[in-house]
């Protein structure tokens, strides 16, 4: 996958590109990142990329003509052009899966300062937000998106590693443990040490349902539970009620 990032701060991506899974994906050519400095497309001698808001008000606004030129310099027919913005559709694991399968080239535009000229959205396919809070720019948001998509690309991490992880089928992941078996009087659940694979699988399924029920009930509304999961949910609800009483 090719990802082209339009940014005023390309240096923010230095550590990101040189660390862990992303570094490995780049080295193995599963992922290619291209950083484009928006300032290179400013046409006056002061390299001005922003200007005062029309109608007055606080802050500076990124200029549409500069961003347009930057997009045109990297745009290809197959590219998905994405504007990172708190006004966008909220990012989630489902979108990460879709993007990892569907797109060969993605252009991410990182806004900065107070905002960007609203006409920029005419040259983008969609706007994406990583959550309901305001960042100082789109750079961190684009790193979040790249990280969550890159780890799903074939050959980047083992498929088994993300088969059961949180948000697959709208359920949270099960709890995991490692040695020591006892720490501060707290013991690893016995079944996990039993070597009985069916019982371990059942325990893990129950743990996923319990975690989702106790921490993110909102996800359960969307989740399509199978019969076993529904049974576990009923048992957990009953147990929780008994504990309350
Ligand atoms: N730019 C500023 N805040 C943002 C957010 N929450 N998501 C994406 N881009 C942003």
């Amino acid at each position: 996958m090719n990802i082209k990032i339009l940014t005023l701060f390309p240096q923010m991506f230095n550590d990101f590109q040189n660390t862990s899974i992303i570094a490995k994906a780049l080295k193995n050519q599963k992922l290619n990142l291209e950083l484009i400095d928006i300032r290179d497309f400013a046409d006056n001698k002061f390299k001005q990329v922003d200007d005062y808001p029309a109608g007055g008000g606080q802050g500076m606004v990124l200029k549409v003509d500069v961003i347009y030129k930057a997009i045109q310099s990297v745009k290809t027919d197959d590219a998905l052009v994405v504007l990172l913005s708190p006004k966008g559709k909220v990012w989630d694991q489902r979108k990460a899966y879709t993007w990892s399968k569907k797109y060969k080239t993605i252009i991410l535009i990182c806004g900065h300062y107070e905002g960007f000229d609203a006409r920029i959205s005419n040259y983008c396919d969609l706007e994406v937000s990583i959550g309901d809070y305001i960042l100082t720019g789109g750079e961190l948001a684009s790193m979040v998106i790249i990280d969550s998509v890159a780890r799903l690309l074939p050959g980047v991490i083992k498929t088994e590693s993300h088969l059961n992880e949180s948000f697959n089928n709208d359920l949270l992941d099960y709890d995991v443990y490692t040695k020591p078996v006892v720490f501060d009087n707290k013991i690893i659940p016995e079944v996990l040490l039993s070597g009985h694979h069916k019982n371990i699988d059942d325990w893990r399924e129950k743990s996923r349902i319990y975690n989702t029920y106790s921490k993110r009930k909102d996800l359960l509304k969307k989740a399509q539970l199978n019969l076993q999961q529904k049974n576990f949910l009923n048992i957990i609800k009953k147990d929780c009620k008994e504990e309350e009483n």
Side-chain angles (χ1 to χ4, degrees):
M1 176 182 277
N2 287 309
I3 303 185
K4 306 176 187 193
I5 308 152
L6 272 52
T7 170
L8 287 164
F9 302 97
Q11 69 277 16
M12 281 181 76
F13 293 82
N14 289 351
D15 282 348
F16 177 67
Q17 293 186 87
N18 289 320
T19 310
S20 185
I21 305 281
I22 297 297
K24 215 175 103 193
L26 290 170
K27 188 165 167 255
N28 297 339
Q29 296 181 345
K30 307 287 179 205
L31 176 69
N32 183 52
L33 293 184
E34 197 181 323
L35 286 155
I36 296 102
D37 191 337
I38 294 172
R39 211 169 284 282
D40 291 343
F41 298 87
D43 50 14
N44 72 10
K45 65 176 180 197
F46 304 109
K47 293 272 167 206
Q48 189 184 354
V49 292
D50 54 2
D51 213 329
Y52 296 104
Q58 291 294 309
M60 300 292 271
V61 177
L62 272 179
K63 287 161 62 60
V64 60
D65 50 339
V66 176
I67 299 291
Y68 176 78
K69 273 195 267 170
I71 296 172
Q72 292 309 314
S73 77
V74 286
K75 194 165 170 5
T76 49
D77 287 345
D78 65 338
L80 178 76
V81 183
V82 181
L83 183 59
L84 293 157
S85 149
K87 294 178 194 157
K89 287 238 160 54
V90 179
W91 186 246
D92 62 15
Q93 186 68 9
R94 202 167 292 219
K95 290 191 183 70
Y97 267 108
T98 308
W99 286 27
S100 72
K101 293 208 165 55
K102 197 165 168 190
Y103 301 114
K104 292 269 163 292
T105 307
I106 296 170
I107 298 171
L108 298 175
I109 305 164
C110 308
H112 233 270
Y113 306 132
E114 298 298 320
F116 35 78
D117 189 308
R119 289 169 292 182
I120 290 173
S121 61
N122 294 315
Y123 311 103
C124 302
D125 297 309
L126 78 160
E127 291 185 35
V128 173
S129 160
I130 60 158
D132 292 339
Y133 40 80
I134 309 293
L135 301 164
T136 50
E139 283 74 12
L140 289 173
S142 74
M143 286 185 234
V144 166
I145 288 171
I146 295 165
D147 190 285
S148 56
V149 172
R151 60 191 294 287
L152 299 174
L153 294 173
V156 172
I157 57 171
K158 289 199 195 98
T159 314
E160 307 90 80
S161 309
H162 50 73
L163 268 184
N164 279 318
E165 66 195 6
S166 288
F167 304 114
N168 276 357
N169 306 325
D170 295 304
L171 293 175
L172 298 185
D173 203 356
Y174 52 76
D175 287 347
V176 292
Y177 299 85
T178 190
K179 285 180 256 197
V181 172
V182 183
F183 179 74
D184 194 24
N185 280 329
K186 290 159 188 78
I187 307 171
I188 295 181
E190 221 177 296
V191 59
L192 299 180
L193 308 170
S194 68
H196 192 301
H197 296 303
K198 166 83 175 70
N199 288 354
I200 293 172
D201 285 349
D202 284 354
W203 183 90
R204 287 184 168 157
E205 202 58 60
K206 206 166 173 181
S207 172
R208 297 185 75 205
I209 306 282
Y210 179 76
N211 284 342
T212 314
Y213 180 73
S214 57
K215 296 174 188 180
R216 290 289 306 274
K217 278 200 186 64
D218 59 304
L219 291 177
L220 279 176
K221 284 189 200 126
K222 296 192 267 174
Q224 307 243 318
L225 300 185
N226 62 31
L227 199 64
Q228 185 200 36
Q229 292 170 327
K230 280 182 188 157
N231 285 338
F232 284 150
L233 180 60
N234 286 335
I235 296 168
I236 289 161
K237 278 182 178 167
K238 214 170 127 225
D239 289 351
C240 290
K241 265 208 189 99
E242 274 164 21
E243 261 170 42
E244 273 169 26
N245 297 332

